[in-house]
Amino acid sequence: MTAGNTFGLRNIFNHQLISMTFISNFSDSRFVLTGFPGIEVDYLWIFIPFSSIYAMVFLGNCMVLHVIQTELSLHEPMFYFLAMLAFTDLCMGLSTVHTVLGTLLGLIKEITLDSCIAQSYFIHGLSFMESSVLLAMALDRYIAICNPLHYSSILNNDKIMKIGMAILGRSSLLIPPVIIRLKFLNYCRPHILSHSFCLHQDLIRMACSDVHFSSIYGLFLVISNLLLDAALILISYIMILHTVLGIASPEERIKSLQTCVSHICAVLVFYVPIIGLTMVHRFGKHLSPLVHVLMGNIYILFPPLMNPIIYSIKTQQIRRRIQKIFYLKGT
């Protein structure tokens, strides 16, 4: 073997060794979780309301699921979709509780790249799933009001199963290309997250690699999921309103619209925090980091907290069943 060949082989070996070390370095990166900047001394006091909120999220959504499962009169399309919503909210709480509360207690200060990527997958996937479920619920209200005679035949159990599978596939299979890409980026900027949980846009912000694909594909996901769903929900309610205004009896109009109140509240509870968080990330760079953290936690916790409350108050069947569970008499 000549000296030139030996030198060439040595270069190849060194290049491979450097590449393996480089991949290992950024694959094993750790990221600092951000709690509430500036008020670290009060974390124990902040932990109390946050742990209470998470307890309410878990108990509220489990209660809704239990009521729908055990009450045969609730085995209808509207409540099947509500069960999907409660399950999604429950999973959202489970995906963030360990880092949020762990950060406040001082038990968790950092998170590995792999754990961060996994958490961001579940957070974004569950957000898309909730958006899809809200769209399915809008479809349910549209058919119930605009085509009531064929409601049971259109939304039978087989159709609901297919809709559920489509929601699951849409929310879980479209995200991996942009999430997997995070594994192979070089994170050379300070590894400090904006929240006590991981979001895709946070990791992209710290990357020095080419992120054009991630940015473009991420925008495509937002448009094809959140914006499209919001537009279709709006269109469905325009058509519902048109049908309701054609009803002669004022009492029937009010009765028809009242069946939509819970869903409208759930839509607002979901989309308003998303819009707020997007505006803060896009235009609020001059704002205090505390504002970013607060908006992030509202985005994560507000819908799972409020949805069980909304449907327990506004849906008579669920309210009565919960009152029976706690041995209370309805008013």
Side-chain angles (χ1 to χ4, degrees), residues 148-164:
L149 297 179
H150 298 90
Y151 176 74
S152 57
S153 61
I154 295 175
L155 286 179
N156 53 41
N157 289 340
D158 183 56
K159 294 283 180 60
I160 293 171
M161 182 69 70
K162 289 179 180 178
I163 291 173

Side-chain angles (χ1 to χ4, degrees), residues 118-191:
Q119 188 179 52
S120 66
Y121 170 79
F122 283 109
I123 290 175
H124 294 296
L126 290 167
S127 293
F128 292 154
M129 184 178 292
E130 182 144 349
S131 176
S132 300
V133 172
L134 290 172
L135 176 60
M137 296 174 82
L139 174 65
D140 170 77
R141 291 299 84 208
Y142 167 75
I143 297 174
I145 294 175
C146 300
N147 198 359
L149 297 179
H150 298 90
Y151 176 74
S152 57
S153 61
I154 295 175
L155 286 179
N156 53 41
N157 289 340
D158 183 56
K159 294 283 180 60
I160 293 171
M161 182 69 70
K162 289 179 180 178
I163 291 173
M165 294 302 294
I167 290 172
L168 181 62
R170 183 193 191 205
S171 57
S172 61
L173 298 180
L174 291 177
I175 298 180
V178 72
I179 294 296
I180 293 174
R181 174 69 177 162
L182 294 173
K183 177 74 174 175
F184 303 100
L185 297 179
N186 176 25
Y187 300 98
C188 62
R189 296 189 176 93
H191 292 190

